[in-house]
Amino acid sequence: TETEGEIFNSLVQYFGDNLGQKVKAMPLVEETSLLEDSSVTLPVVIIGNGPSGICLSYMLSGYRPYLSSEAIHPNTVLHSKLEEARHLSIVDQDLEYLSEGLEGRSSNPVAVLFDTLLHPDADFGYDYPSVLHWKLEQHHYIPHLVLGKGPPGGAWHNMEGSMLTISFGNWMELPGLKFKDWVSSKRRNLKGDRVMPEEIARYYKHYVKVMGLQKNFRENTYITSVSRLYRDQDDDDSQDRDISTKHLQIEKSKFIKRNWEIRGYQRIADGSHVPFCLFAENVALATGTLDSPAHLEIEGEDFPFVFHSMPEFGAAISKGKLRGKVDPVLIVGSGLTAADAVLCAYNNNIPVIHVFRRRVTDPSLIFKQLPKKLYPEYHKVYHMMCTQSYSVNSNLLSDYTSFPEHHVLSFKSDMKCILQSISGLKKIFKLSAAAVLIGSHPNLSFLKEQGCYLGHKSSQPITCKGNPVEIDTYTYECVKEANLFALGPLVGDNFVRFLKGGALGVTRCLTIRQKKKQHLFVERGGGDGIA
């Protein structure tokens, strides 16, 4: 736990020694609590402590990536660009210039750039070492807090433990600590390249500790409101003024603008809630998208036999609640989580009805993108989807029956469901349980309009694929809200290997702005009269 003096020194370091007498010392913030009223405005508050938030904290703490002296990137064009500014960290280089012409499995060019620097030619099956090495440059530290509901690692602590991760272990790692090195240090054997989610969760928690990031993290925090306190004069929306004009003028005279008010509560050991209020110049959204499972929005979906998450469904099976049942379980969805549920039921000798809207030949099915040798269990599910589909001339198969191009019309209290085909044909089945696994949405209830206004389609909820947050391509700043950043699944980067690019983009943007402030500070004679 840091002391008042340590936090104060961080702020002085951030703005320059001359500011020492002009900044009020931050109140003590214990690791187990947050103050109800903080008089200091933090430069950055990160909401979410999964891999996105962890990686951003790592880079804001002053860790900088440089081209390794012996490294040769297999992309010769990119390597020549890197050689031009070998003495500079990647954070201090032109990301647009470096990422030009690169292609990868992310729509965000900085994500593709950073991924190819960390895992060169990974999509071609190569396991080349990273061309980067990292240095801790403490003068680049930007004070920040990372707020999360649970321990560092985010949703990885809540994932079903029986399933392998979709990505290779080394694709899940964060900068500066190789996953394989960590596993070997724990004296555990790494069988194959894919690992269990709980292994990843432990790695992320250890990463925060070993990298010295703990002072920036607060666990058991729940955000209830993030609101802008004032807007710049050139902003059209003048109705969001939450403070008086006099107070506004006072705030604008301070060196850090008190742009955001973050309210919430922290759950402490005895279960009680301690409210807190923080102020920040910048907010970074790193919440992920697993908070709220998507619903079919049909009749009977709230019956207790209908599950909406893999952990719930897996728990019901592991506790033996469905063992020996004659009636099948219904699984809805055509993604990997639905495939996990199919495998879970199938391996426990529970008959499965698998319903999904798409054709089995649909090229956008995730199974089409996974090599058979690396993901045999998912291709087993896909094979059953294709070869064990329902026919009006046959009954349900004993172990698994797929219903392509079908959807669920309703669930009934007697544990029956009504399915309808694309042609309009209806069928009724008796179930032992149902699992609706059709994706999830982030919980952005703490933002106005549930955060919808930040998306490409402002009238719809934010989703990873269909409606991600609209950001500046290279800074990750929200197009519709200055000083608000988003990264990870919120901007379409659902794989850990790509979300690290968001941390690079945000860090570069904030570093440039910090330098401009320090330059302004020097110009204005140590801070007097700064507007």
Side-chain angles (χ1 to χ4, degrees):
T1 304
E2 64 251 88
T3 64
E4 289 185 23
E6 287 173 330
I7 300 178
F8 177 57
N9 289 338
S10 294
L11 287 167
V12 171
Q13 176 180 290
Y14 176 65
F15 292 110
D17 294 336
N18 290 336
L19 196 60
Q21 303 304 315
K22 298 183 179 293
V23 177
K24 187 177 179 182
M26 178 182 281
L28 178 64
V29 183
E30 296 287 350
E31 226 170 81
T32 55
S33 66
L34 282 168
L35 294 189
E36 186 172 349
D37 181 28
S38 173
S39 61
V40 163
T41 301
L42 283 162
V44 188
V45 167
I46 302 167
I47 300 175
N49 66 353
S52 295
I54 295 171
C55 191
L56 181 53
S57 176
Y58 176 76
M59 297 189 74
L60 293 181
S61 295
Y63 286 94
R64 289 293 182 265
Y66 288 85
L67 182 65
S68 296
S69 57
E70 70 284 356
I72 299 177
H73 196 282
N75 183 322
T76 55
V77 175
L78 175 59
H79 186 75
S80 65
K81 290 180 180 179
L82 294 168
E83 285 284 5
E84 293 170 10
R86 177 181 280 276
H87 62 290
L88 294 176
S89 79
I90 305 299
V91 173
D92 296 315
Q93 296 187 41
D94 185 341
L95 300 183
E96 183 173 1
Y97 173 64
L98 291 178
S99 58
E100 185 181 10
L102 298 178
E103 295 181 355
R105 287 161 52 194
S106 170
S107 58
N108 295 313
V110 177
V112 175
L113 167 66
F114 210 28
D115 177 66
T116 194
L117 295 175
L118 293 167
H119 307 289
D121 282 357
D123 286 332
F124 296 108
Y126 296 108
D127 189 20
Y128 292 139
S130 169
V131 299
L132 301 177
H133 72 101
W134 293 82
K135 295 180 182 178
L136 176 57
E137 299 175 347
Q138 294 182 335
H139 61 282
H140 287 310
Y141 175 73
I142 297 178
H144 61 280
L145 276 182
V146 185
L147 307 179
K149 296 176 183 177
W156 285 94
H157 290 278
N158 305 320
M159 291 187 185
E160 178 62 26
S162 63
M163 302 301 166
L164 292 168
T165 61
I166 185 65
S167 296
F168 296 130
N170 64 329
W171 287 0
M172 313 298 290
E173 68 191 21
L174 297 178
L177 179 62
K178 290 184 179 295
F179 182 77
K180 288 181 179 178
D181 292 347
W182 175 78
V183 169
S184 62
S185 73
K186 297 296 178 184
R187 298 198 176 100
R188 281 192 284 271
N189 293 323
L190 191 61
K191 296 179 180 179
D193 290 315
R194 291 166 61 210
V195 292
M196 297 291 187
E198 63 263 29
E199 198 85 70
I200 297 296
R202 285 195 290 267
Y203 165 79
Y204 291 146
K205 189 174 181 180
H206 176 77
Y207 182 92
V208 169
K209 182 178 180 180
V210 76
M211 293 300 174
L213 308 179
Q214 288 166 302
K215 69 174 184 177
N216 304 311
F217 281 72
R218 300 293 181 270
E219 299 178 18
N220 302 314
T221 57
Y222 297 79
I223 310 301
T224 56
S225 170
V226 175
S227 57
R228 189 176 271 287
L229 291 178
Y230 67 83
R231 295 179 182 275
D232 290 333
Q233 292 177 347
D234 58 355
D235 197 317
D236 293 334
D237 186 358
S238 60
Q239 298 180 351
D240 288 327
R241 295 178 182 273
D242 296 339
I243 57 177
S244 68
T245 304
K246 183 179 179 181
H247 194 179
L248 175 65
Q249 290 168 346
I250 294 172
E251 289 303 323
K252 280 199 170 187
S253 69
K254 290 188 178 178
F255 198 72
I256 309 184
K257 287 184 178 178
R258 188 173 275 200
N259 289 327
W260 298 99
E261 178 191 76
I262 300 104
R263 289 187 176 272
Y265 62 88
Q266 187 174 39
R267 197 178 67 237
I268 55 177
D270 64 4
S272 61
H273 295 172
V274 178
F276 65 82
C277 176
L278 297 170
F279 299 101
E281 182 175 12
N282 302 283
V283 169
L285 302 174
T287 60
T289 57
L290 295 178
D291 288 315
S292 304
H295 285 57
L296 295 168
E297 307 296 344
I298 60 173
E299 176 193 345
E301 198 174 359
D302 55 351
F303 285 129
F305 66 89
V306 182
F307 302 102
H308 288 88
S309 75
M310 186 59 210
E312 284 180 325
F313 181 68
I317 289 180
S318 63
K319 291 176 182 176
K321 292 182 179 180
L322 305 178
R323 192 172 297 134
K325 298 279 187 180
V326 177
D327 298 318
V329 295
L330 172 72
I331 294 170
V332 184
S334 60
L336 296 177
T337 306
D340 282 341
V342 169
L343 289 168
C344 191
Y346 185 88
N347 293 336
N348 283 275
N349 300 311
I350 299 169
V352 173
I353 293 175
H354 187 191
V355 175
F356 45 96
R357 290 178 176 269
R358 299 184 187 185
R359 293 175 287 112
V360 291
T361 55
D362 190 325
S364 63
L365 283 173
I366 185 65
F367 309 100
K368 301 274 190 179
Q369 304 170 35
L370 302 178
K372 288 184 181 181
K373 287 185 178 180
L374 300 180
Y375 305 97
E377 74 280 26
Y378 288 129
H379 278 277
K380 177 182 178 180
V381 173
Y382 181 54
H383 180 72
M384 292 194 298
M385 289 166 65
C386 296
T387 61
Q388 294 182 222
S389 57
Y390 178 77
S391 161
V392 291
N393 300 319
S394 64
N395 295 320
L396 293 177
L397 300 173
S398 61
D399 54 355
Y400 171 95
T401 309
S402 70
F403 286 76
E405 298 184 275
H406 279 68
H407 65 276
V408 184
L409 278 181
S410 63
F411 295 102
K412 302 301 180 183
S413 58
D414 58 358
M415 298 185 72
K416 291 180 179 178
C417 72
I418 302 175
L419 306 183
Q420 184 174 32
S421 70
I422 195 170
S423 63
L425 186 67
K426 296 178 183 177
K427 195 78 177 174
I428 300 175
F429 294 101
K430 181 82 164 64
L431 308 173
S432 60
V436 177
L437 302 169
I438 56 173
S440 58
H441 304 303
N443 180 4
L444 299 176
S445 59
F446 51 82
L447 292 171
K448 72 173 186 177
E449 300 176 20
Q450 312 283 310
C452 293
Y453 77 106
L454 298 173
H456 287 265
K457 305 167 188 173
S458 57
S459 61
Q460 298 179 20
I462 299 295
T463 60
C464 177
K465 292 181 180 177
N467 189 35
V469 173
E470 186 177 8
I471 54 169
D472 178 278
T473 309
Y474 299 100
T475 67
Y476 285 74
E477 188 171 26
C478 295
V479 169
K480 294 162 186 169
E481 195 72 271
N483 304 105
L484 182 66
F485 298 82
L487 63 162
L490 290 175
V491 299
D493 285 329
N494 222 11
F495 291 105
V496 172
R497 54 181 285 208
F498 292 116
L499 59 77
K500 291 171 272 195
L504 173 62
V506 175
T507 301
R508 172 161 169 76
C509 177
L510 295 177
T511 299
I512 289 172
R513 292 180 184 177
Q514 175 188 349
K515 288 178 180 176
K516 287 180 179 177
K517 283 180 182 175
Q518 290 174 336
H519 180 67
L520 177 64
F521 184 85
V522 172
E523 275 191 344
R524 297 289 179 91
D528 293 323
I530 289 180

